[in-house]
Structures are given as structure tokens and as C-alpha cells.
Amino acid sequence: MQKVIAAAGVASRRVAENLIVEGRVTVNGEVVEALGRRVDPATDAIAVDGVPVQVDTSKRYVILNKPVGIVSSLQDERGRRDLSEFVDRYEERLFNVGRLDAETSGLLVLTNDGDLAHVLAHPSFGVTKTYIAKVQGNVNPATVQRLLDGVELEDGPIAADKVRLLESSRGESLVEVTLHSGRNRIVRRMLDEVGHPVLELVRRSFGPLQLGSLPIGRTRELTTVELGKLLAIARDSGRDEATPNEE
């Protein structure tokens, strides 16, 4: 098991052995203290300090700071710039988790892990995304509250999970919007509905992942800590699906 943990990049083999002896490693929910324990990366769920470990080394997880002008498609039928120029550099066949419209920049996840992608993209699992929008007009507290209370769009009502007014002056405002909806162009449509059309839009976070200082047009692989947080979301969502709703 220590070899598997080391191969996953969590710790060196020697440190992994110490983690096992200290009782900080579980396999399928059970604490393991024997160094000779054999595990199957394809079927066994390994966690260190309660944080899941991805032991399948065939899986890859990448963050892209998508530039404006790139469509969220691996092969655009209209010949526009697409994600192929970013995924082609990887040996694995990666695909995007969700979409950002061509005019929106920011954090986009690329992976070949279909199960995790489903959890991250489906709004029923409640994974939030945070956007910074530069909009026309001076946004006031009443407008912020309206976004929180919900607005009516052509495809139904929608409310933001969180809204913060960051700046408002000279006829423009910066607004931070957090929501878990997966609807098309939802942030733009919400802000347009309250009278503040979007001038620029960037996604800064996706669940526990932060764009940080990653330059526009660059990619990086997830850290083991970031990946552990994503795997924890997938693990917990599986538990939720297995537990019937009480009424």
C-alpha cells in the first residue's frame, strides 16, 4: 500500500509507511496499520487523514485559465479557436468539465475522469462556481438583494448563492457572484435581467479550486491537496445518493 500512496504523489514511500503505522490511512473506510497490506487501485478506496487519494495514475486533472475567444469545445464545427490547442499537449484524452462561453475567461477543469466530471458539472450536487463580473451601471444594495432573492428568466427562476459588490464608480461596477446552476450563460442573463449588462466576466473558482495567479492561456495540474478535495466531493455525493431523502 505504501508504494501505491507514494506513486499517487501524496508522500514519499518512507513517509507513507509512517502514515500507515500511525493509523492515518484507511482502505474502504477501515484503518490499516499493516505495511504489507495489498490494495487494488481499481477497486479500493484509499484515504489519508480522511482525504481520498487518487491511486489510478491513468487519471489526469488539469486547470486551464481559458482566454476570451476560445469556445468550450474540443473541435469546433465553425473553425473557431477551441480547447484542442490546450488538451493536445497531454498524452491522455482530456475533456472539459462544463463550459464557459467564448466571451468568458477563467477557470475550466480538464480531465479524463468521467465519474468526477459528472459530479462537478451536475447542479444537483451543489458544486459552486464564483465569477467576477464587470458590469454597466452602478450596482446598489437593492440589486444585490434581488439577485439573492431570485430573478425570473425565460427558462425559470434563478437565485445566486452569494453576491458581493466589490466596486462601483463612474458608471461601472465589479460584482462577485457565486452559484451552482449549470444553465447556459446564467451569470450574464441574471445581471442583464437586473439592468446591468456584463462587460467582462471571469470565473475565479470552481468548488474548492481557485484560479489564483495562473496566467491566461496557461494550464497546470491539480495539487494532491486540490485533488483530494475534489475526490471528497465525489465520495460524499455518492453517500448522499445512497441515502434516501427523509420527508
Side-chain angles (χ1 to χ4, degrees):
M1 183 166 59
Q2 56 267 39
K3 292 172 63 177
V4 172
I5 293 174
V10 176
S12 68
R13 182 169 176 176
R14 178 169 294 181
V15 172
E17 290 175 350
N18 292 335
L19 294 173
I20 295 168
V21 171
E22 293 169 1
R24 297 166 62 184
V25 178
T26 61
V27 176
N28 301 325
E30 297 182 0
V31 176
V32 176
E33 298 178 355
L35 294 177
R37 170 68 183 268
R38 292 186 177 276
V39 292
D40 184 349
T43 58
D44 290 326
I46 299 175
V48 176
D49 292 334
V51 179
V53 175
Q54 177 55 278
V55 295
D56 185 349
T57 56
S58 70
K59 300 294 191 228
R60 189 179 290 271
Y61 308 85
V62 173
I63 286 177
L64 164 68
N65 187 348
K66 188 188 84 67
V68 170
I70 301 292
V71 296
S72 295
S73 171
L74 297 178
Q75 186 174 6
D76 183 61
E77 296 178 351
R78 295 165 54 185
R80 295 171 296 179
R81 292 181 65 194
D82 56 34
L83 297 175
S84 62
E85 62 184 86
F86 303 102
V87 301
D88 285 352
R89 66 189 66 170
Y90 294 97
E91 181 178 339
E92 298 83 0
R93 185 177 180 181
L94 305 182
F95 54 89
N96 48 301
V97 179
R99 303 172 65 87
L100 289 175
D101 63 66
E103 295 79 26
T104 300
S105 63
L107 196 159
L108 194 62
V109 178
L110 307 171
T111 185
N112 59 348
D113 187 338
D115 292 336
L116 180 61
H118 171 69
V119 171
L120 294 179
H122 202 287
S124 66
F125 294 110
V127 179
T128 58
K129 302 101 171 173
T130 297
Y131 301 79
I132 303 295
K134 180 180 179 181
V135 301
Q136 292 181 11
N138 296 111
V139 175
N140 57 41
T143 300
V144 170
Q145 190 59 50
R146 187 180 172 193
L147 291 168
L148 292 168
D149 292 340
V151 295
E152 188 71 35
L153 302 179
E154 65 272 13
D155 52 355
I158 182 69
D161 296 312
K162 297 178 183 177
V163 180
R164 285 200 307 153
L165 177 58
L166 304 178
E167 183 180 318
S168 183
S169 64
R170 299 181 180 180
E172 294 181 349
S173 303
L174 283 180
V175 184
E176 181 184 84
V177 180
T178 300
L179 71 172
H180 61 272
S181 170
R183 293 195 221 170
N184 186 43
R185 300 175 66 88
I186 189 62
V187 176
R188 292 179 181 276
R189 292 192 289 135
M190 289 178 70
L191 289 167
D192 192 59
E193 178 65 23
V194 297
H196 295 281
V198 170
L199 301 173
E200 299 176 17
L201 186 63
V202 56
R203 181 157 69 188
R204 297 294 308 177
S205 72
F206 192 126
L209 306 180
Q210 302 291 327
L211 190 61
S213 58
L214 183 66
I216 294 175
R218 298 289 296 275
T219 61
R220 70 168 177 83
E221 297 196 42
L222 298 193
T223 66
T224 54
V225 172
E226 290 172 327
L227 180 54
K229 291 178 179 179
L230 289 189
L231 295 175
I233 292 173
R235 177 194 61 191
D236 295 341
S237 69
R239 290 173 180 172
D240 293 341
E241 286 183 330
T243 304
N245 294 326
E246 296 181 0
E247 296 184 0

